[in-house]
Amino acid sequence: GTGSSILSALQDLFWLSKSKVEKQLQIISVLQWVLTFLIMGIACTLILMYILCTDCWAIAALYLAWLVFDWNTPKKGGRRSQWVRNWAIWRYFRDYFPIRLVKTHNLLTTRNYIFGYHPHGIMGLGAFCNFSTEATGVSQKFPGIRPYLATLAGNFRMPILRDYLMSGGICPVNRDSIDYILSKNGSGNAIIIVVGGAAESLNCTPGKNSVTLKNRKGFVKLALRHGADLVPVYSFGENEVYKQVIFEEGSWGRWVQKKFQKHIGFAPCIFHGRGLFSSNTWGLLPYSKPITTVVGEPITIPKIDNPSQKEVDFYHSIYVDALIKLFDKYKSKFGLPETEVLEVN
């Protein structure tokens, strides 16, 4: 009767409220990461400088002393925290899009690996969620494998930000760091390198599947020097979450971007997503589009201390073919037409 109707209405209201709360938590979780990506390093540096000029200067001085002592830790595998990697906030981050990790083959714990992640997108959201957190179950899908997401070395010169990044298993994408992990950290390590880097981010736009790879061979040379197997990884939907102004080659805008990329290491992009309170307005939040990251079959790589250019080119061509095959095999399963072609630049 009336009582049952009222109870039913209250239950509907409860679930509606719970759904809204979860959506807001998802937005907050993504917003904090976007702000971390864009301003945390600069903000923490300015705050530390300000504290040095106040009565609390001793706190900042102690941290700076610790920073000097701890300076080389990022180059030696970092300082990951399973507690941070398992934060509930990352599960809300995952569900906002949602982000999914697909395993296609087992990985041996007796081998080391270099994952080539494609495409970069604006912020590499899929790479972060899948390999720097446990939100998509990377440790369960690949038991015994320790993932290290490699990013710009400059991030590890920023106070506080460096510690936050290391807690997720993020390391500098430089030779010293990668050499250490692949040669002095045992086996079962997987370094995830976003091969296209800043150059690739300049061309990412919804509806476009292209990778910057033809002249990116350094990761193959590293794999050969350490005998680390190469694993192609493609993230369907990574380019869909932001819209970007693409400057044509030869334009002043592209010239500025390339100068930044050459001298600073990143390329400034003019992009936008949705607003904080409405998906119909512009803002810094990415659009909630699904991102599905597919980890392909490992390519067995021999250990060659000083690989020749011919050897590097040979294994690079094998890698490119494997990436294209991975894309073609799974494209129709994740919303792309059979006619879609992966553009390799």
Side-chain angles (χ1 to χ4, degrees):
T2 304
S4 298
S5 299
I6 294 173
L7 181 60
S8 178
L10 288 174
Q11 287 177 334
D12 290 343
L13 181 61
F14 170 77
W15 286 112
L16 181 62
S17 299
K18 182 180 179 181
S19 175
K20 286 184 176 179
V21 168
E22 287 188 345
K23 188 61 180 178
Q24 292 307 311
L25 288 172
Q26 291 170 12
I27 289 173
I28 291 169
S29 68
V30 175
L31 179 62
Q32 69 83 27
W33 171 246
V34 170
L35 294 178
T36 296
F37 183 90
L38 294 176
I39 66 171
M40 183 177 178
I42 295 174
C44 288
T45 301
L46 293 175
I47 290 171
L48 197 66
M49 292 172 62
Y50 171 76
I51 294 174
L52 279 171
C53 300
T54 68
D55 294 338
C56 298
W57 64 269
I59 297 174
L62 282 172
Y63 178 80
L64 288 174
W66 159 254
L67 194 61
V68 172
F69 174 78
D70 194 55
W71 190 254
N72 288 323
T73 297
K75 298 178 183 178
K76 298 180 178 180
R79 187 171 46 246
R80 74 175 56 219
S81 166
Q82 284 302 116
W83 176 66
V84 173
R85 287 175 61 89
N86 281 290
W87 276 354
I89 193 172
W90 306 131
R91 294 193 290 275
Y92 289 112
F93 182 99
R94 172 199 66 196
D95 293 340
Y96 172 85
F97 296 93
I99 295 174
R100 179 185 171 203
L101 179 65
V102 176
K103 168 186 173 180
T104 63
H105 291 79
N106 292 324
L107 299 181
L108 299 175
T109 57
T110 55
R111 299 286 293 173
N112 284 324
Y113 301 91
I114 293 179
F115 287 19
Y117 184 92
H118 313 269
H120 183 286
I122 296 291
M123 297 184 186
L125 294 165
F128 168 76
C129 184
N130 285 308
F131 301 112
S132 294
T133 81
E134 294 297 330
T136 56
V138 63
S139 293
Q140 286 72 45
K141 288 183 170 69
F142 301 104
I145 301 297
R146 292 181 299 276
Y148 294 86
L149 177 60
T151 189
L152 290 176
N155 289 325
F156 297 89
R157 302 187 187 102
M158 301 285 189
I160 311 300
L161 174 64
R162 67 189 292 275
D163 302 288
Y164 188 37
L165 295 178
M166 283 194 292
S167 68
I170 300 177
C171 68
V173 62
N174 58 32
R175 181 170 171 176
D176 289 343
S177 177
I178 294 172
D179 282 348
Y180 183 91
I181 293 171
L182 294 180
S183 64
K184 299 179 181 178
N185 201 40
S187 60
N189 302 292
I191 298 179
I192 297 88
I193 299 177
V194 186
V195 178
E200 191 172 83
S201 68
L202 297 178
N203 294 315
C204 69
T205 187
K208 186 173 184 179
N209 288 282
S210 66
V211 295
T212 301
L213 183 56
K214 280 184 179 179
N215 297 315
R216 299 296 174 106
K217 300 180 181 180
F219 73 106
V220 177
K221 190 173 184 178
L222 280 170
L224 285 165
R225 289 181 62 246
H226 294 285
D229 293 348
L230 289 171
V231 182
V233 179
Y234 197 85
S235 234
F236 295 90
E238 185 73 63
N239 284 347
E240 306 299 316
V241 296
Y242 279 111
K243 295 179 181 179
Q244 180 183 188
V245 177
I246 304 292
F247 293 103
E248 297 295 330
E249 290 292 338
S251 67
W252 68 269
R254 182 54 64 100
W255 180 84
V256 170
Q257 288 177 322
K258 286 188 173 181
K259 286 295 182 182
F260 265 84
Q261 177 191 337
K262 180 179 179 180
H263 297 292
I264 302 178
F266 74 93
C269 302
I270 300 178
F271 66 92
H272 74 84
R274 53 155 289 182
L276 182 59
F277 301 106
S278 171
S279 59
N280 296 320
T281 58
W282 288 12
L284 289 176
L285 277 177
Y287 294 104
S288 51
K289 304 286 186 179
I291 298 174
T292 305
T293 302
V294 184
V295 180
E297 181 178 3
I299 303 165
T300 302
I301 301 294
K303 187 177 188 302
I304 304 174
D305 291 333
N306 294 297
S308 66
Q309 189 60 51
K310 185 177 180 180
E311 289 168 326
V312 172
D313 291 344
F314 174 73
Y315 284 101
H316 180 268
S317 65
I318 292 176
Y319 178 86
V320 173
D321 289 342
L323 178 64
I324 293 173
K325 288 177 182 177
L326 180 71
F327 177 84
D328 289 340
K329 182 177 180 179
Y330 289 94
K331 61 187 178 183
S332 61
K333 295 181 180 179
F334 303 118
L336 297 178
E338 282 289 348
T339 54
E340 185 72 17
V341 176
L342 178 63
E343 181 183 328
V344 180
N345 299 313

